[in-house]
Amino acid sequence: MLVSAKDMLQKAKAGHYAVGQFNINNLEWTKAILLTAQENNSPVILGVSEGAGKYMGGYKTIVGMVNGLLEELNITVPVALHLDHGSYEGCLKCIDAGFSSIMFDGSHYPIEENVAKTKELVAIVKEKGMSLEAEVGSIGGEEDGVVGAGECADPAECKMVADLGIDFLAAGIGNIHGKYPENWQGLSFETLDAIQQLTGELPLVLHGGTGIPADMIKKAIDLGVSKINVNTECQLAFAAATRAYVEAGKDLQGKGFDPRKLLAPGFEAIKATVKEKMELFGSVNRA
Ligand code: 13P
């Protein structure tokens, strides 16, 4: 059964580790992440962007697929199904479809509007026993065609949103989605520290987990990050493994064109990436 991400992240914050949010794109992705979580006895959050939701045939399709896999694969570790960077309307759709967690990304609105909309969603989500992530300060990079510059959130604004009764907060600290450019300045630990001083026990979320060096990840966890989002890294691993298979001509040998064979190396590559992240984040054996 899907669970809210509230308890798993409060436990992570108290235990000084982080739970990974891995974004899903299809059946192979979802199965690979769930099996890896179970094998490593780790809690896990499946992230779905609005674009990926559309791609997979809608939120209800995803809920059906994930619930089916949990039951048929005997997944017993805590799993949350979470909308990533949701619009207000997208959040309502996911609440209705049976997600267990949502992110409302109001970071592009003026702070007053972000606060007002987040507050409305807090009330709805509480009633349903779901968890809510809010965002302050836009996360740079490209996601679903939207490109933003990496910002550092205003700690006072973070405190305003944290006090609305949300369950965890994503705050820009110079992180961006996708690969980091050569001249990236690194995470702003000063900003993160200032935010955590004001928001206390509230679990903080680090987006753009792809390509952040291990030492920065560890320091971010020390400073209160309890959820780390990874998307691009699984895509790169899947693409590289699939490319190697095709370039070796394996799709032309025997029944190598069978999707169950063609997609197998990519599936294994996602599993390896997720395992590596769970080890780095410290969530192994924390289910
Ligand atoms: P990456 O694609 O950079 O790993 O970012 C993922 C993310 O933050 C999803 O919200």
Side-chain angles (χ1 to χ4, degrees), residues 9 13 16 22 55 74 91 109 130 171 190 194 201 230 283:
L9 295 182
K13 177 115 184 180
H16 305 288
F22 300 96
Y55 174 79
N74 295 316
C91 287
Y109 292 119
M130 298 167 66
E190 209 186 338
E201 293 305 299
V230 178
S283 70

Side-chain angles (χ1 to χ4, degrees), residues 21 23 84-85 103 139 143 176-180 206-210 229-233:
Q21 171 192 307
N23 286 47
D84 192 25
H85 294 284
M103 172 187 192
I139 316 258
E143 199 168 63
I176 58 174
H177 292 121
K179 290 180 182 171
Y180 284 86
L206 181 63
H207 281 248
T210 296
N229 293 6
V230 178
N231 182 18
T232 307
E233 208 154 322

Side-chain angles (χ1 to χ4, degrees), residues 34-252:
L34 290 176
L35 287 173
T36 309
Q38 187 68 28
E39 284 161 17
N40 291 282
N41 195 30
S42 168
V44 75
I45 299 168
L46 300 176
V48 178
S49 68
E50 294 201 347
K54 210 166 161 186
Y55 174 79
M56 286 186 272
Y59 300 127
K60 288 184 185 166
T61 312
I62 298 167
V63 169
M65 172 178 70
V66 173
N67 279 329
L69 287 171
L70 292 183
E71 189 182 328
E72 304 263 7
L73 299 177
N74 295 316
I75 305 295
T76 55
V77 295
V79 178
L81 179 59
H82 180 76
L83 174 65
D84 192 25
H85 294 284
S87 61
Y88 189 84
E89 296 69 35
C91 287
L92 296 182
K93 278 189 190 161
C94 287
I95 292 168
D96 185 47
F99 274 51
S100 64
S101 187
I102 52 171
M103 172 187 192
F104 170 60
D105 182 353
S107 62
H108 49 288
Y109 292 119
I111 185 69
E112 298 74 22
E113 197 172 349
N114 189 358
V115 165
K117 288 195 159 74
T118 301
K119 206 165 158 183
E120 282 177 36
L121 287 165
V122 166
I124 301 173
V125 160
K126 284 264 177 297
E127 202 178 298
K128 305 255 179 194
M130 298 167 66
S131 46
L132 176 69
E133 173 178 347
E135 178 170 327
V136 177
S138 91
I139 316 258
E142 181 172 349
E143 199 168 63
D144 283 348
V146 180
V147 183
E151 280 181 9
C152 280
D154 173 355
E157 290 186 357
C158 290
K159 168 77 175 147
M160 267 169 79
V161 172
D163 286 348
L164 299 174
I166 60 164
D167 300 295
F168 30 103
L169 177 72
I173 54 166
N175 43 329
I176 58 174
H177 292 121
K179 290 180 182 171
Y180 284 86
E182 292 284 333
N183 61 352
W184 180 50
Q185 303 291 306
L187 297 175
S188 169
F189 293 113
E190 209 186 338
T191 308
L192 180 57
D193 190 34
I195 294 167
Q196 133 131 314
Q197 303 255 351
L198 290 178
T199 57
E201 293 305 299
L202 190 73
L204 300 175
V205 183
L206 181 63
H207 281 248
T210 296
I212 299 179
D215 58 328
M216 284 195 203
I217 292 280
K218 297 248 187 241
K219 191 158 177 197
I221 294 173
D222 281 347
L223 290 171
V225 163
S226 325
K227 172 176 179 279
I228 302 176
N229 293 6
V230 178
N231 182 18
T232 307
E233 208 154 322
C234 288
Q235 299 186 6
L236 292 168
F238 180 88
T242 308
R243 170 186 287 273
Y245 180 89
V246 173
E247 282 185 350
K250 294 195 180 153
D251 57 318
L252 302 173

